Amino acid sequence: MASGQLSRAEALACSGCRHACHVMLYADTKAQLFGRIPIKHIILMQMRFDGLLGFPGGLVNPSKETLESGLTRELSEELGLALPISVEDHVDSCFAPASSSSSSHLITHFYVKKMDEEQIREVERAAASTATDHGLEVLGMIRVPLYTTKGGGGLASFLSHSFIGSARSQLVDAMLRFNLVTPGELHKALTHSLKTHAHTKQDLEAALALMEERRKRF
Ligand code: AMP
Ligand code: MN
């Protein structure tokens, strides 16, 4: 097991720990972007209320519910569907970096569930219509682009956004574990992503300079 990781049983034995469960829902697809770039797989993530990208799920109380039934409860709020999640869908449990010295330890449990393309569409429809959290804790469901376009867009640009906690590592790990991208493609995307990140920094600095200039005038 990698450092920071613990078994499901070890995680549940931690008294005084808070627990959060999140799931990556995905499906295979034959769809092609612009009629020529294979999409291959649909992976669902969400734009959270805090402006960060993350997976659907949330805090679970193991003294009142199982991890999986707690996750299903969170999903019904965020996706508008009570998707059953089982122990077999569990991938790993990790100590999350403490957000502040006063907060108790958080253990994040990560699940991956494969669905049909039509089931994914149903989740997307429900998330935007019946989910109680729509427009509140969840600003919208999004699909992860797994391809790379001629200009280098796609997965590399996606990975350069800001993610909650360890969500980016969870995504990278799951893509490799379930063979959704090759290690070579992923390495290339991450390397390119670092360059995109440097451009973003320059872009932000330019926006800040513009803003300061405007503030002086008005
Ligand atoms: P949520 O209710 O979805 O915001 O999740 C509950 C807690 O888990 C929050 O404190 C988040 O900061 C944290 N969290 C959410 N997603 C992740 C993640 N992928 N990795 C680590 N922590 C996370
Ligand atoms: Mn959540």
Side-chain angles (χ1 to χ4, degrees):
M1 234 176 286
S3 66
Q5 291 202 352
L6 57 172
S7 72
R8 197 174 173 283
E10 283 169 333
L12 285 172
C14 174
S15 59
C17 282
R18 290 179 309 139
H19 296 263
C21 296
H22 294 91
V23 66
M24 183 180 103
L25 302 173
Y26 80 100
D28 296 339
T29 178
K30 293 199 161 58
Q32 295 193 332
L33 174 67
F34 310 135
R36 59 185 158 79
I37 302 175
I39 304 273
K40 291 184 186 164
H41 312 282
I42 302 166
I43 295 179
L44 286 189
M45 291 194 76
Q46 61 186 21
M47 175 54 72
R48 297 160 45 94
F49 66 97
D50 50 14
L52 299 172
L53 297 174
F55 290 103
L59 290 175
V60 166
N61 185 348
S63 64
K64 295 209 179 113
E65 55 194 345
T66 64
L67 292 175
E68 292 74 26
S69 59
L71 177 53
T72 295
R73 174 184 51 69
E74 281 289 330
L75 296 181
S76 57
E77 292 164 14
E78 296 188 356
L79 305 177
L81 287 174
L83 282 183
I85 304 292
S86 73
V87 179
E88 286 79 58
D89 302 319
H90 177 259
V91 172
D92 64 22
S93 298
C94 266
F95 271 115
S99 52
S100 77
S101 54
S102 57
S103 62
S104 57
H105 279 306
L106 177 70
I107 297 178
T108 54
H109 305 271
F110 189 57
Y111 295 75
V112 174
K113 187 177 168 76
K114 187 170 184 184
M115 308 176 83
D116 295 336
E117 187 170 359
E118 187 42 46
Q119 290 174 309
I120 290 279
R121 285 182 197 280
E122 201 184 326
V123 169
E124 289 173 322
R125 278 194 294 268
S129 52
T130 53
T132 53
D133 280 348
H134 180 66
L136 300 169
E137 281 185 44
V138 183
L139 302 183
M141 299 306 295
I142 48 162
R143 296 182 179 197
V144 179
L146 296 180
Y147 47 81
T148 301
T149 63
K150 270 198 202 120
L155 184 57
S157 302
F158 185 85
L159 290 171
S160 73
H161 291 307
S162 297
F163 291 73
I164 179 77
S166 51
R168 182 174 10 226
S169 302
Q170 288 171 333
L171 172 64
V172 164
D173 180 65
M175 286 190 296
L176 283 177
R177 202 188 275 258
F178 294 91
N179 296 314
L180 306 181
V181 290
T182 66
E185 284 168 339
L186 194 50
H187 186 269
K188 213 164 138 190
L190 281 167
T191 313
H192 198 273
S193 197
L194 279 170
K195 284 191 202 137
T196 310
H197 197 72
H199 280 290
T200 305
K201 183 170 181 280
Q202 283 173 2
D203 221 41
L204 282 170
E205 281 162 357
L208 183 63
L210 179 81
M211 190 262 150
E212 280 169 353
E213 190 52 40
R214 289 267 161 86
R215 198 167 53 172
K216 272 185 227 148
R217 276 195 275 144
F218 299 106

